Amino acid sequence: MSLFRDDGIVLRTQKLGEADRIITLLTRGHGRVRAVARGVRRTKSKFGARLEPFSHVDVQFFARGSELVGRGLPLCTQSETIAPYGGGIVSDYARYTAGTAMLETAERFTDHEGEPAVQQYLLLVGALRTLSRGEHAPHLVLDAFLLRSLAVNGYAPTFSDCAKCGMPGPNRFFSVASGGSVCADCRVPGSVVPSPQALELLGALLTGDWETADACESRYVREGNGLVSAYLHWHLERGLRSLRYVEK
């Protein structure tokens, strides 16, 4: 039997029995972890309030064996709040729906429990911090997070040079299946012709150029969002359930 300590973001919770919950976290050192939190659904439990989605927490786990992720679920025996990002997110519908899509994305990109995913973890922490503070429009923060998540998982799109032959951009066409912008010679069936402003916006979100992103017109933001959603859907092989509420 072993004790483990790690910090992580609560991705979701599930009811278990009459008073317990299964907590899914994305942790810094152990990747995605599911653990049982005893008694957290009781009215007087202060422990449970710390283990809500969006919370950044320092958690202690108790596991049977020498590894945190094994045959049975570990127990979450102690938690301390590092940052309660949920307070600045759940009170605003746009932030809440964007944040929910971020949590689902992070879980989808960490399929294997117990495998460290430090870059994805740091991306999620930074995105939730920005979202909770209201520094930028929620849909822009979400699109930036989605693009960077794709990039750290090996699916980085290109919005200028040709994704197939490397021809310097800007290039007119965009192909989700090809990996982003493509030149006329590399154009494939199904390619679209987005506006240069939409591609410039997506490039800015990917690189963190918030001055350009914040100044973009809403019509190009909507166009860029459609490209991000299509690109994400292609690489995840099925869409995010939470994105339908963001798009409304």
Side-chain angles (χ1 to χ4, degrees):
M1 297 184 179
S2 306
L3 289 176
F4 298 86
R5 198 168 195 97
D6 209 340
D7 57 274
I9 296 289
V10 179
L11 300 179
R12 63 186 174 97
T13 64
Q14 299 167 267
K15 292 181 180 180
L16 179 66
E18 295 183 358
D20 307 334
R21 277 200 180 111
I22 297 175
I23 312 295
T24 303
L25 305 101
L26 178 57
T27 66
R28 180 189 294 271
H30 298 88
R32 183 161 62 89
V33 173
R34 291 188 305 146
V36 175
R38 301 288 190 192
V40 295
R41 288 165 52 204
R42 294 192 179 100
T43 306
K44 296 182 180 180
S45 174
K46 296 181 180 179
F47 184 36
R50 303 186 191 119
L51 294 174
E52 292 294 330
F54 307 112
S55 295
H56 188 193
V57 290
D58 180 0
V59 185
Q60 180 175 279
F61 302 98
F62 174 78
R64 294 177 176 84
S66 59
E67 296 183 355
L68 178 57
V69 177
R71 292 184 178 180
L73 294 180
L75 293 179
C76 180
T77 57
Q78 183 180 348
S79 72
E80 298 294 335
T81 300
I82 298 174
Y85 295 130
I89 294 175
V90 299
S91 58
D92 181 87
Y93 181 78
R95 293 184 195 177
Y96 175 74
T97 52
T100 301
M102 291 177 189
L103 298 185
E104 186 181 352
T105 300
E107 185 169 3
R108 291 282 295 278
F109 273 124
T110 52
D111 286 338
H112 303 291
E113 292 188 24
E115 291 187 3
V118 179
Q119 286 183 302
Q120 186 66 68
Y121 165 79
L122 294 175
L123 272 178
L124 182 60
V125 172
L128 292 179
R129 182 189 302 118
T130 300
L131 190 66
S132 67
R133 293 175 178 173
E135 296 175 1
H136 307 285
H139 52 274
L140 290 179
V141 178
L142 173 59
D143 282 348
F145 174 76
L146 297 179
L147 289 171
R148 295 176 195 181
S149 293
L150 285 160
V152 301
N153 286 283
Y155 307 119
T158 174
F159 300 113
S160 180
D161 298 345
C162 179
K164 299 188 73 174
C165 70
M167 178 179 175
N171 287 288
R172 288 185 59 205
F173 305 102
F174 187 91
S175 169
V176 169
S178 299
S181 295
V182 289
C183 65
D185 292 337
C186 296
R187 180 186 181 185
V188 296
S191 299
V192 296
V193 185
S195 65
Q197 294 89 342
L199 292 179
E200 182 183 13
L201 167 65
L202 297 183
L205 291 175
L206 182 59
T207 59
D209 181 3
W210 285 105
E211 184 177 354
T212 297
D214 289 336
C216 191
E217 294 182 30
S218 59
R219 55 177 171 166
Y220 302 126
V221 171
R222 289 192 296 271
E223 184 181 1
N225 176 260
L227 294 176
V228 173
S229 298
Y231 195 85
L232 182 72
H233 187 281
W234 173 269
H235 288 288
L236 287 181
E237 297 181 354
R238 67 181 192 273
L240 298 178
R241 290 175 296 176
S242 49
L243 272 187
R244 70 187 69 173
Y245 302 107
V246 177
E247 291 169 354
K248 290 181 181 179

PDB file of all heavy atoms in Angstrom, residues 5 11 23 32 46-47 57 59-60 72 76 92 94 117 121 123 129 131 140 164 181 185 187-188 208 213 223 227 244:
ATOM      1  N   ARG A   5       1.210  11.819  -3.839  1.00  0.00           N
ATOM      2  CA  ARG A   5       0.729  13.196  -3.788  1.00  0.00           C
ATOM      3  C   ARG A   5       1.006  13.864  -5.132  1.00  0.00           C
ATOM      4  O   ARG A   5       2.068  13.683  -5.717  1.00  0.00           O
ATOM      5  CB  ARG A   5       1.400  13.971  -2.659  1.00  0.00           C
ATOM      6  CG  ARG A   5       0.629  15.228  -2.289  1.00  0.00           C
ATOM      7  CD  ARG A   5       1.114  15.863  -0.994  1.00  0.00           C
ATOM      8  NE  ARG A   5       0.139  16.832  -0.526  1.00  0.00           N
ATOM      9  CZ  ARG A   5      -0.781  16.592   0.385  1.00  0.00           C
ATOM     10  NH1 ARG A   5      -0.840  15.393   0.937  1.00  0.00           N
ATOM     11  NH2 ARG A   5      -1.643  17.523   0.747  1.00  0.00           N
ATOM     12  N   LEU A  11     -11.487  17.165 -13.679  1.00  0.00           N
ATOM     13  CA  LEU A  11     -12.137  17.163 -14.986  1.00  0.00           C
ATOM     14  C   LEU A  11     -13.633  16.866 -14.882  1.00  0.00           C
ATOM     15  O   LEU A  11     -14.444  17.505 -15.548  1.00  0.00           O
ATOM     16  CB  LEU A  11     -11.485  16.122 -15.905  1.00  0.00           C
ATOM     17  CG  LEU A  11      -9.986  16.304 -16.199  1.00  0.00           C
ATOM     18  CD1 LEU A  11      -9.500  15.180 -17.098  1.00  0.00           C
ATOM     19  CD2 LEU A  11      -9.705  17.658 -16.834  1.00  0.00           C
ATOM     20  N   ILE A  23     -13.747  10.754  -8.792  1.00  0.00           N
ATOM     21  CA  ILE A  23     -13.197  12.018  -9.273  1.00  0.00           C
ATOM     22  C   ILE A  23     -12.181  11.732 -10.367  1.00  0.00           C
ATOM     23  O   ILE A  23     -11.264  10.922 -10.184  1.00  0.00           O
ATOM     24  CB  ILE A  23     -12.498  12.788  -8.127  1.00  0.00           C
ATOM     25  CG1 ILE A  23     -13.380  12.845  -6.876  1.00  0.00           C
ATOM     26  CG2 ILE A  23     -12.106  14.183  -8.589  1.00  0.00           C
ATOM     27  CD1 ILE A  23     -14.651  13.612  -7.040  1.00  0.00           C
ATOM     28  N   ARG A  32      -3.857  11.384 -16.413  1.00  0.00           N
ATOM     29  CA  ARG A  32      -5.258  11.263 -16.000  1.00  0.00           C
ATOM     30  C   ARG A  32      -5.399  10.179 -14.943  1.00  0.00           C
ATOM     31  O   ARG A  32      -4.908   9.059 -15.113  1.00  0.00           O
ATOM     32  CB  ARG A  32      -6.151  10.967 -17.201  1.00  0.00           C
ATOM     33  CG  ARG A  32      -7.641  10.902 -16.861  1.00  0.00           C
ATOM     34  CD  ARG A  32      -8.490  11.063 -18.116  1.00  0.00           C
ATOM     35  NE  ARG A  32      -8.274  10.011 -19.085  1.00  0.00           N
ATOM     36  CZ  ARG A  32      -8.947   8.859 -19.110  1.00  0.00           C
ATOM     37  NH1 ARG A  32      -9.874   8.619 -18.206  1.00  0.00           N
ATOM     38  NH2 ARG A  32      -8.706   7.970 -20.050  1.00  0.00           N
ATOM     39  N   LYS A  46     -16.610  19.405   3.798  1.00  0.00           N
ATOM     40  CA  LYS A  46     -15.811  20.478   3.199  1.00  0.00           C
ATOM     41  C   LYS A  46     -14.851  19.916   2.152  1.00  0.00           C
ATOM     42  O   LYS A  46     -14.435  20.613   1.233  1.00  0.00           O
ATOM     43  CB  LYS A  46     -15.029  21.203   4.291  1.00  0.00           C
ATOM     44  CG  LYS A  46     -15.905  21.917   5.308  1.00  0.00           C
ATOM     45  CD  LYS A  46     -15.055  22.624   6.347  1.00  0.00           C
ATOM     46  CE  LYS A  46     -15.944  23.339   7.377  1.00  0.00           C
ATOM     47  NZ  LYS A  46     -15.135  24.017   8.423  1.00  0.00           N
ATOM     48  N   PHE A  47     -14.514  18.666   2.318  1.00  0.00           N
ATOM     49  CA  PHE A  47     -13.631  17.978   1.391  1.00  0.00           C
ATOM     50  C   PHE A  47     -14.224  17.973  -0.010  1.00  0.00           C
ATOM     51  O   PHE A  47     -13.537  18.217  -1.009  1.00  0.00           O
ATOM     52  CB  PHE A  47     -13.428  16.560   1.917  1.00  0.00           C
ATOM     53  CG  PHE A  47     -12.459  15.716   1.148  1.00  0.00           C
ATOM     54  CD1 PHE A  47     -11.315  16.251   0.576  1.00  0.00           C
ATOM     55  CD2 PHE A  47     -12.681  14.351   1.009  1.00  0.00           C
ATOM     56  CE1 PHE A  47     -10.426  15.453  -0.118  1.00  0.00           C
ATOM     57  CE2 PHE A  47     -11.796  13.553   0.321  1.00  0.00           C
ATOM     58  CZ  PHE A  47     -10.669  14.101  -0.240  1.00  0.00           C
ATOM     59  N   VAL A  57      -6.163  21.551  -7.567  1.00  0.00           N
ATOM     60  CA  VAL A  57      -6.002  21.047  -6.207  1.00  0.00           C
ATOM     61  C   VAL A  57      -4.707  20.266  -6.039  1.00  0.00           C
ATOM     62  O   VAL A  57      -4.147  19.715  -6.997  1.00  0.00           O
ATOM     63  CB  VAL A  57      -7.189  20.135  -5.811  1.00  0.00           C
ATOM     64  CG1 VAL A  57      -8.467  20.951  -5.640  1.00  0.00           C
ATOM     65  CG2 VAL A  57      -7.400  19.026  -6.840  1.00  0.00           C
ATOM     66  N   VAL A  59      -3.590  16.979  -4.193  1.00  0.00           N
ATOM     67  CA  VAL A  59      -4.334  15.806  -3.732  1.00  0.00           C
ATOM     68  C   VAL A  59      -3.392  14.718  -3.236  1.00  0.00           C
ATOM     69  O   VAL A  59      -2.310  14.501  -3.801  1.00  0.00           O
ATOM     70  CB  VAL A  59      -5.213  15.234  -4.868  1.00  0.00           C
ATOM     71  CG1 VAL A  59      -6.079  14.098  -4.361  1.00  0.00           C
ATOM     72  CG2 VAL A  59      -6.088  16.311  -5.476  1.00  0.00           C
ATOM     73  N   GLN A  60      -3.828  14.050  -2.176  1.00  0.00           N
ATOM     74  CA  GLN A  60      -3.120  12.869  -1.691  1.00  0.00           C
ATOM     75  C   GLN A  60      -3.960  11.627  -2.002  1.00  0.00           C
ATOM     76  O   GLN A  60      -5.168  11.606  -1.741  1.00  0.00           O
ATOM     77  CB  GLN A  60      -2.882  12.960  -0.188  1.00  0.00           C
ATOM     78  CG  GLN A  60      -2.140  11.744   0.388  1.00  0.00           C
ATOM     79  CD  GLN A  60      -1.804  11.919   1.855  1.00  0.00           C
ATOM     80  OE1 GLN A  60      -0.828  12.567   2.202  1.00  0.00           O
ATOM     81  NE2 GLN A  60      -2.637  11.371   2.717  1.00  0.00           N
ATOM     82  N   GLY A  72      -7.420  -1.569  -9.070  1.00  0.00           N
ATOM     83  CA  GLY A  72      -8.524  -0.894  -8.399  1.00  0.00           C
ATOM     84  C   GLY A  72      -8.311   0.602  -8.347  1.00  0.00           C
ATOM     85  O   GLY A  72      -7.186   1.096  -8.525  1.00  0.00           O
ATOM     86  N   CYS A  76      -8.922   8.993  -2.746  1.00  0.00           N
ATOM     87  CA  CYS A  76      -8.487  10.383  -2.564  1.00  0.00           C
ATOM     88  C   CYS A  76      -8.693  10.706  -1.083  1.00  0.00           C
ATOM     89  O   CYS A  76      -9.824  10.848  -0.629  1.00  0.00           O
ATOM     90  CB  CYS A  76      -9.319  11.300  -3.458  1.00  0.00           C
ATOM     91  SG  CYS A  76      -8.889  13.027  -3.321  1.00  0.00           S
ATOM     92  N   ASP A  92     -20.761  32.508 -15.303  1.00  0.00           N
ATOM     93  CA  ASP A  92     -20.938  33.103 -16.624  1.00  0.00           C
ATOM     94  C   ASP A  92     -21.143  31.985 -17.639  1.00  0.00           C
ATOM     95  O   ASP A  92     -20.307  31.085 -17.743  1.00  0.00           O
ATOM     96  CB  ASP A  92     -19.707  33.946 -16.990  1.00  0.00           C
ATOM     97  CG  ASP A  92     -19.833  34.603 -18.347  1.00  0.00           C
ATOM     98  OD1 ASP A  92     -20.392  35.713 -18.422  1.00  0.00           O
ATOM     99  OD2 ASP A  92     -19.363  34.012 -19.339  1.00  0.00           O
ATOM    100  N   ALA A  94     -21.034  31.806 -20.970  1.00  0.00           N
ATOM    101  CA  ALA A  94     -20.032  31.675 -22.036  1.00  0.00           C
ATOM    102  C   ALA A  94     -18.743  31.059 -21.495  1.00  0.00           C
ATOM    103  O   ALA A  94     -18.140  30.187 -22.129  1.00  0.00           O
ATOM    104  CB  ALA A  94     -19.749  33.036 -22.667  1.00  0.00           C
ATOM    105  N   ALA A 117       1.192  13.647 -18.887  1.00  0.00           N
ATOM    106  CA  ALA A 117       0.894  14.506 -20.039  1.00  0.00           C
ATOM    107  C   ALA A 117       1.100  15.942 -19.571  1.00  0.00           C
ATOM    108  O   ALA A 117       0.154  16.717 -19.451  1.00  0.00           O
ATOM    109  CB  ALA A 117      -0.520  14.272 -20.543  1.00  0.00           C
ATOM    110  N   TYR A 121      -1.420  19.204 -19.369  1.00  0.00           N
ATOM    111  CA  TYR A 121      -1.779  19.693 -18.031  1.00  0.00           C
ATOM    112  C   TYR A 121      -1.497  21.194 -17.903  1.00  0.00           C
ATOM    113  O   TYR A 121      -2.352  21.959 -17.444  1.00  0.00           O
ATOM    114  CB  TYR A 121      -0.991  18.910 -16.985  1.00  0.00           C
ATOM    115  CG  TYR A 121      -0.995  19.533 -15.614  1.00  0.00           C
ATOM    116  CD1 TYR A 121      -2.091  19.393 -14.769  1.00  0.00           C
ATOM    117  CD2 TYR A 121       0.090  20.280 -15.171  1.00  0.00           C
ATOM    118  CE1 TYR A 121      -2.095  19.981 -13.510  1.00  0.00           C
ATOM    119  CE2 TYR A 121       0.087  20.870 -13.921  1.00  0.00           C
ATOM    120  CZ  TYR A 121      -1.005  20.714 -13.099  1.00  0.00           C
ATOM    121  OH  TYR A 121      -1.015  21.304 -11.861  1.00  0.00           O
ATOM    122  N   LEU A 123      -1.192  23.394 -20.293  1.00  0.00           N
ATOM    123  CA  LEU A 123      -2.110  24.122 -21.175  1.00  0.00           C
ATOM    124  C   LEU A 123      -3.457  24.332 -20.504  1.00  0.00           C
ATOM    125  O   LEU A 123      -4.031  25.419 -20.557  1.00  0.00           O
ATOM    126  CB  LEU A 123      -2.310  23.347 -22.475  1.00  0.00           C
ATOM    127  CG  LEU A 123      -1.352  23.586 -23.633  1.00  0.00           C
ATOM    128  CD1 LEU A 123      -1.717  22.668 -24.791  1.00  0.00           C
ATOM    129  CD2 LEU A 123      -1.369  25.024 -24.073  1.00  0.00           C
ATOM    130  N   ARG A 129      -7.061  29.496 -16.025  1.00  0.00           N
ATOM    131  CA  ARG A 129      -6.699  30.733 -15.332  1.00  0.00           C
ATOM    132  C   ARG A 129      -7.116  31.952 -16.154  1.00  0.00           C
ATOM    133  O   ARG A 129      -7.730  32.899 -15.641  1.00  0.00           O
ATOM    134  CB  ARG A 129      -5.195  30.775 -15.075  1.00  0.00           C
ATOM    135  CG  ARG A 129      -4.731  32.015 -14.305  1.00  0.00           C
ATOM    136  CD  ARG A 129      -3.218  32.140 -14.261  1.00  0.00           C
ATOM    137  NE  ARG A 129      -2.609  30.972 -13.668  1.00  0.00           N
ATOM    138  CZ  ARG A 129      -1.765  30.144 -14.289  1.00  0.00           C
ATOM    139  NH1 ARG A 129      -1.444  30.371 -15.578  1.00  0.00           N
ATOM    140  NH2 ARG A 129      -1.242  29.116 -13.673  1.00  0.00           N
ATOM    141  N   LEU A 131      -9.368  32.054 -18.547  1.00  0.00           N
ATOM    142  CA  LEU A 131     -10.820  32.072 -18.669  1.00  0.00           C
ATOM    143  C   LEU A 131     -11.473  32.640 -17.408  1.00  0.00           C
ATOM    144  O   LEU A 131     -12.392  33.463 -17.488  1.00  0.00           O
ATOM    145  CB  LEU A 131     -11.320  30.659 -18.932  1.00  0.00           C
ATOM    146  CG  LEU A 131     -12.785  30.478 -19.330  1.00  0.00           C
ATOM    147  CD1 LEU A 131     -13.045  31.119 -20.684  1.00  0.00           C
ATOM    148  CD2 LEU A 131     -13.140  28.988 -19.373  1.00  0.00           C
ATOM    149  N   LEU A 140     -12.543  32.741 -27.842  1.00  0.00           N
ATOM    150  CA  LEU A 140     -11.163  32.855 -28.323  1.00  0.00           C
ATOM    151  C   LEU A 140     -10.222  32.029 -27.451  1.00  0.00           C
ATOM    152  O   LEU A 140      -9.307  31.377 -27.960  1.00  0.00           O
ATOM    153  CB  LEU A 140     -10.724  34.321 -28.339  1.00  0.00           C
ATOM    154  CG  LEU A 140     -11.371  35.231 -29.376  1.00  0.00           C
ATOM    155  CD1 LEU A 140     -10.842  36.652 -29.237  1.00  0.00           C
ATOM    156  CD2 LEU A 140     -11.120  34.714 -30.794  1.00  0.00           C
ATOM    157  N   LYS A 164       1.539  20.239 -47.210  1.00  0.00           N
ATOM    158  CA  LYS A 164       2.000  19.055 -47.929  1.00  0.00           C
ATOM    159  C   LYS A 164       3.383  19.251 -48.561  1.00  0.00           C
ATOM    160  O   LYS A 164       4.246  18.392 -48.426  1.00  0.00           O
ATOM    161  CB  LYS A 164       0.978  18.665 -49.003  1.00  0.00           C
ATOM    162  CG  LYS A 164      -0.393  18.309 -48.429  1.00  0.00           C
ATOM    163  CD  LYS A 164      -1.329  17.733 -49.476  1.00  0.00           C
ATOM    164  CE  LYS A 164      -0.936  16.327 -49.857  1.00  0.00           C
ATOM    165  NZ  LYS A 164      -1.945  15.716 -50.783  1.00  0.00           N
ATOM    166  N   SER A 181      -3.408  24.664 -44.249  1.00  0.00           N
ATOM    167  CA  SER A 181      -3.322  25.382 -45.524  1.00  0.00           C
ATOM    168  C   SER A 181      -2.582  24.552 -46.563  1.00  0.00           C
ATOM    169  O   SER A 181      -1.582  23.894 -46.254  1.00  0.00           O
ATOM    170  CB  SER A 181      -2.593  26.715 -45.322  1.00  0.00           C
ATOM    171  OG  SER A 181      -3.346  27.569 -44.483  1.00  0.00           O
ATOM    172  N   ASP A 185      -1.448  23.486 -56.086  1.00  0.00           N
ATOM    173  CA  ASP A 185      -0.988  22.207 -56.628  1.00  0.00           C
ATOM    174  C   ASP A 185      -1.310  21.039 -55.693  1.00  0.00           C
ATOM    175  O   ASP A 185      -1.471  19.899 -56.155  1.00  0.00           O
ATOM    176  CB  ASP A 185       0.523  22.250 -56.883  1.00  0.00           C
ATOM    177  CG  ASP A 185       0.896  23.198 -58.012  1.00  0.00           C
ATOM    178  OD1 ASP A 185       0.022  23.472 -58.861  1.00  0.00           O
ATOM    179  OD2 ASP A 185       2.047  23.676 -58.035  1.00  0.00           O
ATOM    180  N   ARG A 187      -3.892  20.996 -53.548  1.00  0.00           N
ATOM    181  CA  ARG A 187      -5.303  21.025 -53.174  1.00  0.00           C
ATOM    182  C   ARG A 187      -5.944  19.665 -53.395  1.00  0.00           C
ATOM    183  O   ARG A 187      -5.715  19.013 -54.417  1.00  0.00           O
ATOM    184  CB  ARG A 187      -6.025  22.085 -54.008  1.00  0.00           C
ATOM    185  CG  ARG A 187      -7.508  22.213 -53.700  1.00  0.00           C
ATOM    186  CD  ARG A 187      -8.177  23.169 -54.661  1.00  0.00           C
ATOM    187  NE  ARG A 187      -9.597  23.314 -54.370  1.00  0.00           N
ATOM    188  CZ  ARG A 187     -10.441  24.014 -55.129  1.00  0.00           C
ATOM    189  NH1 ARG A 187      -9.996  24.616 -56.228  1.00  0.00           N
ATOM    190  NH2 ARG A 187     -11.718  24.107 -54.785  1.00  0.00           N
ATOM    191  N   VAL A 188      -6.759  19.222 -52.437  1.00  0.00           N
ATOM    192  CA  VAL A 188      -7.447  17.923 -52.532  1.00  0.00           C
ATOM    193  C   VAL A 188      -8.952  18.157 -52.492  1.00  0.00           C
ATOM    194  O   VAL A 188      -9.413  19.219 -52.054  1.00  0.00           O
ATOM    195  CB  VAL A 188      -7.031  16.998 -51.368  1.00  0.00           C
ATOM    196  CG1 VAL A 188      -5.551  16.653 -51.448  1.00  0.00           C
ATOM    197  CG2 VAL A 188      -7.365  17.630 -50.019  1.00  0.00           C
ATOM    198  N   GLY A 208      -0.210  32.699 -29.680  1.00  0.00           N
ATOM    199  CA  GLY A 208      -0.387  33.559 -28.512  1.00  0.00           C
ATOM    200  C   GLY A 208      -0.343  35.035 -28.810  1.00  0.00           C
ATOM    201  O   GLY A 208      -0.075  35.843 -27.915  1.00  0.00           O
ATOM    202  N   ALA A 213      -5.637  38.711 -32.144  1.00  0.00           N
ATOM    203  CA  ALA A 213      -6.862  37.930 -31.937  1.00  0.00           C
ATOM    204  C   ALA A 213      -7.995  38.782 -31.372  1.00  0.00           C
ATOM    205  O   ALA A 213      -9.144  38.701 -31.824  1.00  0.00           O
ATOM    206  CB  ALA A 213      -6.571  36.758 -31.010  1.00  0.00           C
ATOM    207  N   GLU A 223     -15.924  32.213 -38.487  1.00  0.00           N
ATOM    208  CA  GLU A 223     -15.357  31.384 -39.554  1.00  0.00           C
ATOM    209  C   GLU A 223     -14.190  30.554 -39.017  1.00  0.00           C
ATOM    210  O   GLU A 223     -14.076  29.354 -39.299  1.00  0.00           O
ATOM    211  CB  GLU A 223     -14.884  32.284 -40.704  1.00  0.00           C
ATOM    212  CG  GLU A 223     -14.363  31.515 -41.902  1.00  0.00           C
ATOM    213  CD  GLU A 223     -13.884  32.429 -43.025  1.00  0.00           C
ATOM    214  OE1 GLU A 223     -13.953  33.676 -42.856  1.00  0.00           O
ATOM    215  OE2 GLU A 223     -13.423  31.897 -44.047  1.00  0.00           O
ATOM    216  N   LEU A 227     -13.506  26.262 -38.586  1.00  0.00           N
ATOM    217  CA  LEU A 227     -12.323  25.515 -39.031  1.00  0.00           C
ATOM    218  C   LEU A 227     -11.707  24.729 -37.876  1.00  0.00           C
ATOM    219  O   LEU A 227     -11.302  23.571 -38.046  1.00  0.00           O
ATOM    220  CB  LEU A 227     -11.287  26.477 -39.627  1.00  0.00           C
ATOM    221  CG  LEU A 227     -11.669  27.191 -40.924  1.00  0.00           C
ATOM    222  CD1 LEU A 227     -10.580  28.178 -41.327  1.00  0.00           C
ATOM    223  CD2 LEU A 227     -11.907  26.179 -42.049  1.00  0.00           C
ATOM    224  N   ARG A 244     -21.399  21.707 -28.792  1.00  0.00           N
ATOM    225  CA  ARG A 244     -22.703  22.116 -29.323  1.00  0.00           C
ATOM    226  C   ARG A 244     -23.315  23.241 -28.477  1.00  0.00           C
ATOM    227  O   ARG A 244     -24.038  24.079 -28.985  1.00  0.00           O
ATOM    228  CB  ARG A 244     -23.648  20.922 -29.382  1.00  0.00           C
ATOM    229  CG  ARG A 244     -24.119  20.405 -28.038  1.00  0.00           C
ATOM    230  CD  ARG A 244     -24.911  19.127 -28.153  1.00  0.00           C
ATOM    231  NE  ARG A 244     -24.068  18.008 -28.549  1.00  0.00           N
ATOM    232  CZ  ARG A 244     -24.509  16.757 -28.577  1.00  0.00           C
ATOM    233  NH1 ARG A 244     -25.761  16.473 -28.287  1.00  0.00           N
ATOM    234  NH2 ARG A 244     -23.682  15.775 -28.930  1.00  0.00           N
TER     235      ARG A 244
END
